[in-house]
Amino acid sequence: MTMILTIVAIAAALAVGLFANQVRRRRRAAGGDGEEASVSDLVSPLETLAVLLVAFVIVVAAESYGSASTAVEAEAGRVDQLYEVADYAPEPQRERLQAAAVCYARAIQAAEWPLMAEGGEKSPAASVWSTGFRTHFKELAHQDDATFALLVEADDERSKARQTRISEASPAIPPAVYWFMVVALAATVGAFAFGLPRDRGPSHLTLLCVLAVLFTGSLLLIQDIDTPFSGQIQITSDTMRQTAEDISEDYATDHPGATLPCDAEGKRI
């Protein structure tokens, strides 16, 4: 809906500007150089405002997207690290922790990832296994201090990365700022259209249409980047999926004959 409204706003501004320019041409058949110069003087600061707004918002959206991407990779890496560190824990905690790591990765990829496109929310299916980590850590607290410390550190970093991923799923740009930018760009396009010279040629209209398309593309790009887990350039769950596949294979090798306490989607059996 936002995409449609953005396109409509820019197109409407272009149409209104061209219509106003046509009316002005008809009313003033002669002279008018001073008026065109005054229009140009007004368009210049409006253009500067629009460009600064776009630059600022793109930076904010790009930083949010980058943070989300980094958090996704960090979370997958910490889950893999947790599985590997658990290899030094005594049984039965070793097998339980590694099973929980596999199930957690599967639950994130299958259950929690679809929630990211809706603005970010924790999945209970994944939280069950992260809670299980801490339960098993308590059993190790007085058995192996070195392994316990490494496991707690890996889990803490995993938890922070997960929280960052979820928080960055929500748009970083407030709706009021986005729509203010749309209005500024629409006004700029309309002002350019209104200020076209009376002796304009096809090149003037072509460049104006190109400008309108570029402004519209910038707005749509910003909207897409600001929702990192949906849209055309969304962050996928491939990293976590690869981690889940890798540690699932490791689990089958490390614990032959053992059965995971979850299904392929991380749901507890």
Side-chain angles (χ1 to χ4, degrees), residues 78-131:
R78 294 301 171 264
V79 172
D80 185 69
Q81 180 185 7
L82 195 150
Y83 182 94
E84 293 178 355
V85 173
D87 217 24
Y88 299 97
E91 294 288 4
Q93 287 81 16
R94 174 192 174 196
E95 191 273 335
R96 292 173 181 172
L97 276 170
Q98 292 180 330
V102 173
C103 293
Y104 174 85
R106 290 181 176 182
I108 290 294
Q109 194 268 329
E112 189 163 285
W113 213 267
L115 300 177
M116 296 297 97
E118 301 174 4
E121 185 178 344
K122 286 187 177 182
S123 168
S127 296
V128 165
W129 304 111
S130 61
T131 301

Side-chain angles (χ1 to χ4, degrees), residues 145-197:
D145 292 339
T147 301
F148 173 75
L150 290 173
L151 286 170
V152 170
E153 180 182 1
D155 184 61
D156 181 59
E157 293 176 355
R158 173 208 58 78
S159 180
K160 291 179 180 177
R162 183 190 184 192
Q163 188 59 48
T164 300
R165 167 175 56 79
I166 292 173
S167 63
E168 294 296 347
S170 301
I173 303 171
V177 174
Y178 178 82
W179 288 113
F180 179 74
M181 181 176 57
V182 171
V183 170
L185 292 181
T188 302
V189 171
F192 275 128
F194 178 73
L196 287 176

Side-chain angles (χ1 to χ4, degrees), residues 170-223:
S170 301
I173 303 171
V177 174
Y178 178 82
W179 288 113
F180 179 74
M181 181 176 57
V182 171
V183 170
L185 292 181
T188 302
V189 171
F192 275 128
F194 178 73
L196 287 176
R198 287 189 301 275
D199 57 345
R200 66 173 183 263
S203 60
H204 290 89
L205 292 176
T206 300
L207 291 174
L208 179 60
C209 291
V210 170
L211 178 66
V213 170
L214 290 176
F215 277 174
T216 304
S218 298
L219 291 170
L220 298 181
L221 178 63
I222 289 170
Q223 183 196 8

Side-chain angles (χ1 to χ4, degrees), residues 45 57 258:
V57 173

